[in-house]
DNA sequence: CGGATCGAC
DNA sequence: CTATGTCGATCCG
């Protein structure tokens, strides 16, 4: 949203230097320079209660950083190395899943509210203006920005910066109307587009582009109704020089039937009868052209300009749309190297989900750009929570969600109000009641009832407090809500008595909604569970037959008390849908390995660039060289073997071999782990996955991977087993391995959920085959064999890409990054969150969210005991 | 579950 | 004089 596009550009004194955005002061007109702006802001701000509170908050952040630095100091190099190895493994995992096939667009109106107001009142055209009130601005026009007037800045400060500033009040109805006009256009390109706000949206135009290919020119021709607007359109990107392949000029294609003027516009005799020439323009079929067209149509229809980002995922698209703002667009091509180049010098603050606090904490660790973020991944994984560092890693690799989907139902509803100080209890209760009334009305519109009521209070010192209370029966009416809120408020007043509460803000929130279809709910969720969505690759529907309890248990083995409880609750409430992080955690579930550590030890730490694929090292590599090499590695893969599939009526997958002399069965219990090699037929990436929990339906996991899409093909030729007892390596000769895969995942799950898959392995008599050099080793001495493998690994003689690192697994394969105290609130934005969820094999089933929890909750009485 | 906090718009 | 409002998410206890 352009309104807030300058993330916290509010304060400018020393304490807040880190928040300052850059002032674009290009034209050098009458605008103020940065220092002057800072000084003015400082003068106005200093000494206010607000400022004091900001200082306090700043101190708190500093303390968090302090704690983090102490924790960092306690880390041993061992820990870092281990983390490094694990992160690298995850990097591979993620790399394999990288999807560059969608064309995602993020579209963002330029200074939306201000632009609308300027359009409707030409007098504002050449003046610095802002939309909002004396107490708060929502956005400013570009002229005002030259004076440092930004969104989220109080109007009175803006006035100091720019005494001539015109402040016009917000007119939301108007913006809504304009927004819906825009959305009509967007729907032509993606009927399922995702609006983020009135002025911002994500689109997936992949399908549109495909159709567009076969569109006749006439379908891409648009009438120019407002020439003023159109003539201004020029080729962007020339100034930056990096946009050669990205922004194509608006394509004023030559029309075969009508002559074009030198602008490329063509005149048609359509309205010849009226002696009037109609100018039209034809857009091409490329994605850039399609987006140019989209922006052109928006401008023609609304007289407002938009900026756009085109990229293979939402995260990148969003960052892109900012690049050539205003009235421009930018493309990141669907190419790994291009993505990396784009990411390389990108300041992390630019990416959605990284706010000022996260920025400051990361800066303390020397992380400013995405490259820094990538290089520090091991450290970050030890200092931040799992969700936080996983998000970091995604960002650092330029990964993001490729599914633009609408969010689920709302989780809460609230209303709050700021006012001049109120300290009389009676007035406070009245206000509270009023808020409850408003909220009840809003709740009524959506027929929502919720079980927890939260009261939010901000005192005159800007200190915020929230107090919540959940009751047994859901509330929705003014009286019901107020009866709860009143009690909380009373308690708060009492808590500071005899001093009065000096409030400047009060808010009421209701959450914990129960769904209306509380009855139909179960059925509904089961149905959707059985019918994976059209994209089918990432639904939780394809849960393999496996006890969910077990999966969950294996996934959350060392979680905190609370997480365990939560997990238990979730399993109880709705078993199949709670396992979304499974895939993310896989690599960590898999192995913790001495040998690997030894070889990875010096890998990729501090400028020591080692290819994570082939483990090759080259002193001449710089980051770019390494990346090129990795690209090569990733694309250079062996042809995978043919998969033998047998039709079976059983619902399980078998790994079966024939023992030479016949009858002896090798069961999976004989092996501690299996390394399975997969190949992604689309991007040709080969990966080795290690599975330890062989007795827990591991092959269903493998199969699920296969089901991830046609694009993943198993390389059954190289299925390596690690013997539990001897810890030796065995490679399964391909001709003796038979996979029988039934691939019907859409069958009723009821039985599957409880039944264990039967897995068994038969294997030729153990042979020591070096997984690296593939040579058969005569030695029966395990230690000698292991030494050979070590040597092989270290020599890095891995010309072939199907490197098989076969690990000796330790007994406790789980190396969760469980920290005693995590620093960082690991905040991912809504967007980022979506990315995380959506990037997974299993995303949460959207319909199945409503826990039926009958569990007794605190009553109001007990709460105030 | 409750409270504080972050982040986005 | 005068520093928003609303929502979702996460983390910690």
């Amino acid at each position: 949203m352009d309104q807030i596009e300058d993330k916290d550009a509010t304060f400018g004194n020393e304490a807040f230097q880190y928040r300052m955005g850059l002032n674009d002061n290009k034209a050098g007109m009458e605008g103020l320079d940065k220092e002057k702006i800072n000084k003015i802001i400082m003068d106005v701000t200093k000494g206010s209660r607000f400022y004091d509170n900001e200082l306090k908050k700043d101190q708190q952040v500093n303390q968090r950083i302090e704690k983090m630095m102490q924790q960092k100091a306690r880390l041993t190099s061992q820990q870092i190395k281990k983390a490094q190895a694990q992160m690298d493994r995850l990097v591979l995992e993620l790399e394999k899943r990288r999807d560059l096939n969608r064309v995602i667009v993020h579209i963002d109106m330029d200074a939306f509210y201000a632009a609308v107001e300027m359009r409707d009142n030409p007098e504002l055209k050449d003046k610095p203006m802002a939309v909002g009130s004396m107490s708060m601005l929502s956005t400013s026009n570009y002229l005002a920005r030259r004076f440092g007037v930004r969104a989220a800045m109080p109007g009175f400060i803006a006035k100091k910066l720019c005494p001539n500033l015109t402040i016009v009040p917000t007119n939301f109805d108007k913006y809504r109307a304009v927004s819906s006009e825009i959305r009509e256009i967007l729907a032509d390109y993606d009927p399922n587009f995702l609006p983020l706000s009135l002025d911002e949206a994500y689109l997936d135009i992949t399908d549109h582009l495909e159709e567009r290919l076969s569109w006749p020119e006439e379908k891409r021709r648009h009438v120019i109704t407002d020439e003023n607007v159109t003539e201004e359109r020029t080729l962007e990107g020339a100034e930056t020089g990096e946009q050669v392949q990205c922004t194509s000029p608006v394509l004023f294609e030559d029309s075969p039937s009508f002559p074009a003027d030198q602008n490329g516009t063509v005149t048609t005799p359509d309205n010849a009868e009226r002696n009037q020439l109609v100018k039209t323009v034809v857009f091409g079929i490329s994605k850039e052209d399609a987006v140019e067209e989209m922006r052109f149509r928006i401008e023609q229809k609304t007289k407002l300009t938009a900026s756009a980002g085109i990229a293979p995922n939402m995260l990148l698209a969003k960052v892109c749309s900012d690049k050539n703002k205003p009235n421009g667009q930018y493309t990141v091509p669907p190419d790994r190297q291009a993505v990396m180049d784009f990411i390389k010098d990108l300041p992390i603050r630019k990416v959605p989900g990284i706010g000022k606090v996260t920025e400051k904490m990361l800066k303390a660790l020397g992380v400013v750009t995405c490259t820094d973020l990538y290089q520090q991944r091991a450290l970050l994984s030890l200092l931040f929570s799992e969700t936080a560092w996983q998000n970091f890693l995604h960002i650092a690799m330029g990964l993001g969600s490729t599914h633009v989907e609408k969010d689920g139902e709302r989780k809460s509803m609230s209303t709050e109000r700021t006012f001049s100080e109120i300290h009389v209890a009676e007035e406070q209760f009245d206000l509270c009641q009023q808020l409850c009334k408003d909220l009840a009305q809003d709740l009524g519109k959506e027929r929502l009832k919720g079980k927890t009521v939260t009261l939010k209070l901000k005192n005159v010192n800007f200190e915020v407090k929230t107090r919540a209370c959940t009751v047994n029966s859901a509330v929705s009416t003014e009286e019901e809500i107020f009866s709860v809120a009143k009690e909380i408020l009373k308690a708060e007043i009492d808590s500071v008595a005899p001093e009065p509460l000096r409030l400047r803000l009060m808010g009421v929130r209701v959450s914990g909604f129960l769904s209306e279809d509380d009855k139909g709910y179960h059925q509904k969720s089961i149905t959707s569970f059985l019918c994976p969505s059209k994209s089918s690759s990432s639904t939780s529907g394809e849960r393999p037959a496996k006890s969910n309890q077990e999966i969950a248990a294996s996934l959350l083995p060392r979680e905190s008390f609370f997480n365990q409880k939560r997990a238990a609750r979730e399993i109880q409430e709705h078993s199949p849908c709670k396992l979304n992080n499974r895939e993310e955690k896989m690599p960590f579930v898999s192995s913790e390995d001495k040998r690997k550590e030894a070889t990875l030890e010096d890998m990729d730490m501090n400028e020591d660039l080692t290819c994570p694929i082939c483990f090759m090292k080259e002193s001449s590599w710089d980051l770019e060289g390494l990346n090129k090499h990795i690209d090569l590695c990733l694309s250079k893969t062996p042809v995978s073997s043919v998969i033998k599939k047998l039709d079976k009526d059983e619902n399980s997958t078998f790994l079966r071999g024939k023992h030479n002399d016949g009858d002896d069965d090798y069961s999976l219990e004989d092996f501690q782990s299996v390394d399975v090699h997969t190949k992604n037929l689309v991007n040709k990436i080969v990966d080795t996955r290690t599975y330890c929990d062989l007795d827990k339906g591991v092959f269903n996991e493998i199969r699920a991977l296969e089901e991830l899409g046609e694009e993943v093909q198993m390389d059954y030729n190289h299925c390596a087993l690690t013997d539990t007892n001897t810890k030796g390596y065995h490679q399964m000769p391909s001709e003796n391995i038979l996979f029988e895969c039934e691939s019907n995942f859409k069958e009723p799950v009821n039985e599957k959920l409880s039944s264990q898959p039967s897995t068994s392995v038969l294997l030729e008599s153990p042979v020591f085959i070096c997984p690296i050099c593939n040579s058969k080793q005569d030695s029966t001495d395990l230690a000698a064999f292991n030494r050979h493998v070590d040597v092989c690994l270290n020599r890095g003689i891995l010309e072939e890409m199907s490197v098989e690192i076969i690990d000796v697994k330790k007994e406790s394969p789980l190396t969760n990054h469980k920290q005693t105290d995590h620093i960082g609130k690991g905040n991912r934005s809504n967007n980022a969150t979506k990315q995380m969820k959506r990037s997974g094999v299993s995303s949460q089933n959207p319909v199945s969210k409503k826990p039926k929890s009958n569990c007794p909750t605190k009553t109001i009485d007990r709460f105030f005991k």
Side-chain angles (χ1 to χ4, degrees):
Chain A
M1 187 178 185
D2 209 28
Q3 274 78 349
I4 320 277
E5 82 181 42
D6 304 296
K7 300 183 176 186
D8 36 58
T10 317
F11 301 92
N13 61 70
E14 315 81 66
F16 303 120
Q17 281 304 330
Y18 72 94
R19 332 172 139 221
M20 292 303 297
L22 292 171
N23 305 306
D24 39 6
N25 198 4
K26 4 178 147 158
M29 289 188 39
E30 55 207 306
L32 305 174
D33 64 32
K34 199 171 157 186
E35 280 176 29
K36 197 150 186 201
I37 290 171
N38 290 346
K39 184 175 184 323
I40 296 178
I41 294 177
M42 180 59 176
D43 289 346
V44 182
T45 302
K46 202 168 44 186
S48 65
R49 295 179 198 268
F50 178 82
Y51 176 70
D52 289 346
N53 188 255
E54 288 297 308
L55 283 181
K56 210 175 83 186
K57 289 196 312 204
D58 200 58
Q59 284 296 89
Q60 283 170 9
V61 173
N62 286 336
Q63 278 175 21
R64 278 171 67 185
I65 291 175
E66 182 73 16
K67 253 176 98 175
M68 179 178 71
M69 297 310 270
Q70 284 171 11
Q71 201 179 333
K72 181 190 172 193
R74 283 198 298 272
L75 294 177
T76 65
S77 60
Q78 268 304 316
Q79 282 174 295
I80 306 230
K81 279 171 197 163
K82 194 160 93 187
Q84 186 74 51
Q86 286 170 334
M87 291 305 272
D88 289 339
R89 191 169 178 105
L90 186 51
V91 164
L92 278 187
E93 195 76 18
L94 292 172
E95 189 57 61
K96 190 188 62 188
R97 274 172 183 50
R98 186 190 292 272
D99 181 359
L100 296 168
N101 298 310
R102 306 304 295 179
V103 181
I104 310 292
V105 174
H106 178 256
I107 193 129
D108 188 347
M109 299 300 295
D110 301 321
F112 187 51
Y113 299 169
V116 172
E117 297 299 340
M118 285 166 74
R119 176 193 73 174
D120 294 351
N121 182 359
E123 283 190 15
L124 300 172
K125 227 11 186 229
D126 303 318
K127 297 179 186 168
M129 60 85 68
V131 178
S133 70
M134 217 42 165
S135 56
M136 186 57 69
L137 305 178
S138 5
T139 190
S140 57
N141 69 4
Y142 283 84
L143 203 48
R145 289 181 199 191
R146 286 219 263 275
F147 293 87
V149 175
R150 304 302 172 99
M153 173 181 280
F156 72 94
I157 290 181
K159 274 286 195 184
K160 302 262 184 197
L161 287 169
C162 176
N164 291 329
L165 184 73
T166 311
I167 297 181
V168 303
T170 49
N171 192 343
F172 271 100
D173 290 337
K174 199 153 80 178
Y175 313 143
R176 253 190 294 276
V178 179
S179 181
S180 77
E181 284 187 274
I182 295 165
R183 290 178 187 183
E184 277 176 30
I185 295 173
L186 299 187
D188 286 346
Y189 298 84
D190 178 5
N192 301 315
F193 76 97
L194 175 68
L196 288 184
S197 62
L198 288 180
D199 79 322
E200 245 183 284
Y202 281 112
L203 294 86
D204 180 340
I205 60 167
T206 319
D207 295 342
H208 166 83
L209 288 174
E210 192 159 328
E211 279 181 37
R212 194 181 176 90
L213 280 177
S214 56
W215 278 12
E217 199 177 285
E218 280 316 301
K219 256 185 131 170
R220 308 189 315 263
R221 178 188 301 282
H222 295 275
V223 177
I224 301 172
T225 56
D226 185 338
E227 296 177 42
N228 300 333
V229 162
T230 314
E231 294 303 319
E232 289 170 16
R233 289 193 158 265
T234 51
L235 175 54
E236 273 100 22
E239 39 178 291
T240 66
E242 335 173 31
Q243 273 295 13
V244 198
Q245 77 282 40
C246 303
T247 350
S248 55
V250 178
L251 296 189
F252 298 106
E253 285 189 347
D254 283 344
S255 159
S257 34
F258 310 115
D261 63 23
Q262 71 265 54
N263 277 334
T265 52
V266 293
T267 53
T268 67
D270 290 346
N271 283 352
E273 47 189 60
R274 287 189 223 157
N275 282 341
Q276 195 180 358
L277 292 182
V278 174
K279 286 193 179 175
T280 64
V281 54
V282 175
F283 290 88
I285 53 171
S286 74
K287 57 191 176 190
E288 283 85 2
D289 296 337
V291 174
E292 288 281 3
E293 179 188 88
M294 199 182 329
R295 296 200 297 121
F296 169 83
R297 289 176 62 192
I298 290 172
E299 193 172 2
Q300 290 291 308
K301 192 168 180 180
T302 68
K303 296 191 172 61
L304 301 170
T305 62
S307 298
I310 307 167
N313 67 52
M314 290 165 72
L315 182 103
L316 293 171
K318 168 100 182 159
V319 178
C320 281
S321 67
D322 207 43
K323 197 103 180 169
N324 278 328
K325 180 182 286 259
N327 197 10
Q329 64 186 57
Y330 187 97
T331 308
V332 173
D335 163 73
R336 184 180 173 277
Q337 191 55 51
V339 170
M340 289 316 184
D341 289 346
F342 179 74
I343 284 292
K344 196 169 150 231
D345 296 320
L346 185 71
I348 50 168
R349 187 62 165 91
K350 289 274 182 189
V351 342
I354 308 289
K356 59 175 197 270
V357 174
T358 313
E359 178 192 34
K360 194 177 181 186
M361 295 219 295
L362 289 175
K363 194 172 182 180
L365 296 169
V367 173
V368 175
T369 67
C370 289
T371 303
D372 302 332
L373 197 63
Y374 184 76
Q375 282 172 348
Q376 296 299 324
R377 59 196 180 281
L379 180 61
L380 297 180
S381 77
L382 294 168
L383 294 178
F384 287 82
S385 72
E386 174 158 332
T387 33
W389 63 251
Q390 290 210 2
N391 184 37
F392 293 158
L393 195 58
H394 277 81
I395 293 168
M397 297 177 67
L399 296 168
S401 168
T402 54
H403 300 292
V404 314
E405 289 164 16
K406 306 225 177 346
D407 255 359
E409 324 89 88
R410 74 157 70 235
K411 304 238 169 49
S412 73
M413 189 181 275
S414 65
T415 181
E416 69 191 52
R417 214 153 292 160
T418 299
F419 37 79
S420 48
E421 176 173 344
I422 294 182
H423 50 261
V424 181
E426 196 183 331
E427 290 175 36
Q428 290 168 350
F429 282 112
D430 287 348
L431 186 74
C432 181
Q433 183 157 20
Q434 183 61 44
L435 289 169
C436 292
K437 185 178 170 186
D438 295 350
L439 184 56
Q441 218 169 52
D442 290 347
L443 284 169
K445 280 182 208 154
E446 299 188 33
R447 301 193 189 291
L448 291 169
K449 281 169 154 254
K451 281 194 297 195
T452 118
V453 174
T454 307
L455 189 73
K456 175 177 173 181
L457 304 172
K458 190 190 302 187
N459 68 17
V460 290
N461 293 320
F462 291 90
E463 293 161 340
V464 180
K465 237 185 227 177
T466 61
R467 292 283 178 271
C469 181
T470 108
V471 293
N472 276 322
S473 61
V475 296
S476 63
T477 67
E478 174 192 344
E479 293 76 21
E480 289 166 339
I481 302 171
F482 185 55
S483 73
V484 184
K486 184 177 56 183
E487 295 301 325
I488 305 177
L489 179 56
K490 197 189 294 176
E492 276 313 303
I493 292 175
D494 290 349
S495 78
V496 293
E499 297 295 317
L501 275 182
R502 305 181 60 191
L503 300 179
R504 82 180 323 273
L505 171 145
M506 188 186 297
V508 180
R509 171 190 299 227
V510 170
S511 55
F513 298 132
L514 32 87
S515 61
E516 336 174 358
D517 45 23
D518 215 38
K519 303 148 208 165
Y521 148 74
H522 194 60
Q523 294 248 341
K524 197 171 161 192
S525 76
I526 286 282
T527 347
S528 78
F529 175 67
L530 294 176
C531 307
S533 69
K534 57 174 187 211
S535 60
S536 98
S537 62
S538 61
T539 355
S540 55
E542 292 137 330
R543 229 42 6 262
K546 175 173 183 177
S547 154
N548 286 295
Q549 311 266 356
E550 275 180 23
I551 301 178
S554 71
L555 286 181
L556 306 166
R558 293 179 187 175
E559 294 284 25
S560 71
F561 168 73
F562 293 96
N563 286 339
Q564 279 179 31
K565 277 183 74 166
R566 185 162 29 242
R569 217 168 35 233
E570 282 168 353
I571 288 164
Q572 264 197 340
E573 282 161 9
H574 206 78
S575 35
C577 305
K578 300 293 182 180
L579 305 164
N580 23 340
N581 277 335
R582 176 186 65 99
E583 172 233 23
E584 296 293 343
K585 295 187 180 181
M586 256 335 265
F588 294 94
V589 177
S590 57
S591 75
E592 176 180 346
D593 168 31
K594 279 182 214 149
R595 175 187 324 283
K596 182 97 147 291
E597 256 168 40
T599 59
L600 291 180
E601 186 168 285
D602 39 16
M603 161 180 161
D604 211 359
M605 303 201 39
N606 300 334
E607 307 315 313
D608 193 351
L609 302 175
T610 305
C611 171
I613 318 288
C614 70
F615 297 99
M616 224 158 82
K617 236 185 282 189
E618 191 73 54
S619 50
S620 66
W621 281 343
D622 56 2
L623 197 63
E624 209 177 312
L626 173 66
N627 280 336
K628 285 212 178 92
H629 168 87
I630 292 176
D631 276 343
L632 198 67
C633 258
L634 287 172
S635 62
K636 199 171 60 177
T637 66
V639 185
S640 58
S641 64
V642 182
I643 304 175
K644 301 172 190 171
K645 282 196 179 184
L646 293 187
D647 282 330
K648 274 284 174 188
D649 42 8
E650 288 129 281
N651 283 340
S652 53
T653 305
F654 287 84
L655 167 60
R656 195 160 61 195
K658 199 98 178 106
H659 198 276
N660 263 353
D661 36 61
D663 310 341
D664 272 327
D665 274 3
Y666 280 73
S667 91
L668 274 180
E669 271 103 70
D670 291 328
F671 302 95
Q672 194 171 349
S673 64
V674 178
D675 285 353
V676 179
H677 304 261
T678 60
K679 177 187 175 184
N680 186 320
L681 290 184
V682 171
N683 57 17
K684 308 271 198 289
I685 290 175
V686 167
D687 181 52
T688 303
R689 291 173 72 110
T690 302
Y691 295 92
C692 297
D693 299 319
L694 298 188
D695 53 345
K696 288 186 181 159
V698 67
F699 286 103
N700 282 310
E701 302 276 2
I702 300 172
R703 196 178 48 180
L705 184 71
E706 190 181 11
E707 283 286 306
L708 183 61
E710 319 87 286
E711 74 268 293
V712 176
Q713 184 176 330
M714 307 293 300
D715 186 356
Y716 296 112
N717 224 2
H718 299 87
C719 182
L721 303 183
T722 304
D723 192 299
T724 310
N725 301 317
T726 63
K727 300 271 196 290
Y729 302 112
H730 306 282
Q731 189 163 24
M732 299 284 280
S734 63
E735 59 278 11
N736 286 337
I737 302 176
L738 210 55
F739 272 87
E740 304 168 3
C741 299
E742 61 80 28
S743 53
N744 188 354
F745 275 74
K746 282 102 195 168
E747 280 179 14
V749 264
N750 312 23
E751 310 97 285
K752 283 184 156 198
L753 288 175
S754 51
S755 75
Q756 286 275 327
S758 46
T759 39
S760 62
V761 176
L762 291 141
L763 164 83
E764 214 183 352
S765 51
V767 168
F768 289 129
I769 299 173
C770 172
I772 313 299
C773 68
N774 252 336
S775 69
K776 205 162 162 185
Q777 299 294 303
D778 292 332
S779 166
T780 51
D781 177 3
L782 189 68
F785 175 63
N786 280 338
R787 270 197 303 279
H788 166 86
V789 176
D790 272 345
V791 171
C792 254
L793 270 173
N794 283 329
R795 252 192 323 205
I797 45 157
L798 313 170
E799 292 91 3
E800 261 255 73
M801 274 324 304
S802 66
V803 179
E804 294 143 23
I805 306 143
I806 300 189
D807 305 334
V808 175
K809 276 72 192 178
K810 273 193 196 161
E811 278 310 328
S812 61
L814 284 168
T815 59
N816 245 344
H817 290 251
K818 177 83 183 100
Q819 293 294 312
T820 41
D821 68 296
H822 279 302
I823 308 196
K825 301 293 257 183
N827 291 293
R828 296 182 281 122
S829 75
N830 302 340
N831 305 327
T833 307
K834 281 172 221 156
Q835 290 154 18
M836 299 292 296
K837 278 186 189 161
R838 288 168 188 170
S839 67
V841 172
S842 47
S843 63
Q844 197 163 16
N845 186 338
V847 199
S848 57
K849 284 198 235 166
K850 299 286 154 155
K852 280 197 107 167
S853 91
N854 299 323
C855 53
T857 41
K858 265 189 229 167
T859 68
I860 230 183
D861 299 326
R862 278 176 54 199
F863 183 81
F864 287 110
K865 188 49 225 151

